[in-house]
């Protein structure tokens, strides 16, 4: 009897010594909870946007780029669960949060049969210097999880960032466009010819980064582009 409970007891001792906290609210996690506490899990703001109907993420890109469809999994707000999750993922070395979000979103996409024809899943790339500094692209695990559910190929070697600059969001759109049009590069456009691509980022705000990346992907002939992200600012 005692032996069967031993793993749980050890687990509890471990949790007591090294408390594992919720990435959404910092509360200590109870046994059985992972990444998020039950309260945060119930309160996390899912957009429920689909790839069938028009949604506010589509409207961000209207008149800017010719994409097939856009969506996003969560609402991003200046305070709260989603902001804390993304912050931990990007700046606190908690790369596994990308798996957590990707597994959750991937199941929903697969169950609803959205995006069943996607060939390649491509993340917005980091510049090699930034990648070295952070140690990982925060979108990679998310993308690999989605690729598993969508039976697509995760490809992070074809779209690369050639200059280590920040996306300027405060400048005018036209000026920004002229300054940024050479920020990204396709290593081998022919690989993407006539393929259906899902372009991924962590958070969509102005849409500027997605716009420039999508335009770079369109240097490949006949591509169809879908866009999604972990979260969106609306
Ligand atoms: Zn919580």
């Amino acid at each position: 009897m005692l032996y069967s409970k031993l793993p749980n007891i050890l687990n509890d001792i471990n949790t007591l010594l090294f408390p594992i906290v919720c990435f959404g609210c910092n509360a200590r996690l109870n046994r059985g909870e992972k990444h998020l506490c039950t309260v945060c899990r119930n309160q996390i703001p899912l957009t429920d946007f689909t790839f069938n109907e028009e949604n506010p993420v589509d409207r961000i890109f209207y008149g800017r780029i010719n994409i097939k469809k856009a969506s996003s999994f969560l609402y991003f707000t200046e305070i709260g669960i989603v902001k804390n999750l993304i912050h931990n993922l990007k700046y606190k070395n908690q790369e596994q949060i990308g798996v957590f979000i990707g597994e959750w979103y991937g199941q929903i996409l697969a169950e609803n049969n959205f995006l069943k024809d996607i060939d390649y899943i491509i993340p917005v790339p980091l510049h090699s210097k930034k990648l070295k500094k952070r140690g990982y692209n925060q979108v990679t695990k998310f993308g690999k999880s989605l690729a598993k559910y969508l039976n697509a190929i995760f490809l992070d070697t074809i779209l690369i960032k050639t200059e280590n600059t920040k996306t300027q969001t405060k400048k005018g759109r036209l000026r920004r466009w002229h300054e940024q049009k050479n920020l990204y590069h396709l290593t081998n456009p022919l690989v993407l010819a006539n393929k259906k691509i899902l372009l991924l980022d962590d958070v969509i705000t102005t849409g500027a980064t997605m716009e420039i990346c999508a335009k770079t992907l369109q240097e490949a002939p006949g591509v169809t582009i879908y866009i999604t992200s972990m979260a969106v600012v609306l």
Side-chain angles (χ1 to χ4, degrees), residues 21-27 29 35-41 81:
V21 297
C22 169
F23 289 127
C25 71
N26 253 353
L29 291 181
H35 306 300
L36 285 182
C37 69
T38 308
V39 175
C40 284
R41 218 173 257 261
I81 304 164

Side-chain angles (χ1 to χ4, degrees), residues 132-189:
K132 204 171 173 188
K133 196 174 161 201
R134 184 170 295 160
Y136 56 93
N137 180 338
Q138 68 275 11
V139 189
T140 296
K141 298 265 186 195
F142 176 60
K144 285 184 174 171
S145 298
L146 292 189
K148 187 180 78 183
Y149 284 98
L150 299 176
N151 289 316
I153 296 167
F154 179 80
L155 199 59
D156 62 353
T157 50
I158 202 132
L159 177 66
I160 58 164
K161 194 171 189 197
T162 49
E163 282 180 60
N164 196 14
T165 48
K166 276 190 177 175
T167 305
Q168 303 288 314
T169 50
K170 290 201 172 102
K171 291 177 186 170
R173 199 175 282 169
L174 192 65
R175 193 171 148 207
R176 202 166 62 216
W177 163 244
H178 280 294
E179 286 174 6
Q180 294 189 354
K181 64 180 173 183
N182 296 319
L183 281 186
Y184 296 90
H185 173 71
L186 286 186
T187 56
N188 189 350

Side-chain angles (χ1 to χ4, degrees), residues 52-129:
N52 291 340
E53 293 165 346
E54 185 195 273
N55 67 58
V57 192
D58 290 306
R59 279 172 230 134
I60 292 175
F61 298 102
Y62 279 168
R64 294 168 65 180
I65 35 171
N66 184 18
I67 55 163
K68 187 82 174 174
K69 192 76 186 69
S71 194
S72 186
F73 184 44
L74 304 163
Y75 288 106
F76 187 94
T77 49
E78 264 315 303
I79 48 166
I81 304 164
V82 178
K83 180 169 188 178
N84 295 340
L85 264 179
I86 304 273
H87 183 82
N88 277 296
L89 168 66
K90 282 177 83 168
Y91 305 112
K92 301 284 179 188
N93 247 343
Q94 302 297 334
E95 202 184 355
Q96 78 273 21
I97 291 171
V99 181
F100 168 63
I101 299 174
E103 290 279 323
W104 192 349
Y105 191 33
Q107 279 176 37
I108 291 170
L109 293 175
E111 272 170 24
N112 291 297
N113 230 356
F114 296 137
L115 304 176
K116 59 181 187 301
D117 299 326
I118 293 292
D119 298 297
Y120 293 118
I121 294 184
I122 297 180
V124 166
L126 298 182
H127 188 267
S128 55
K129 278 186 187 160

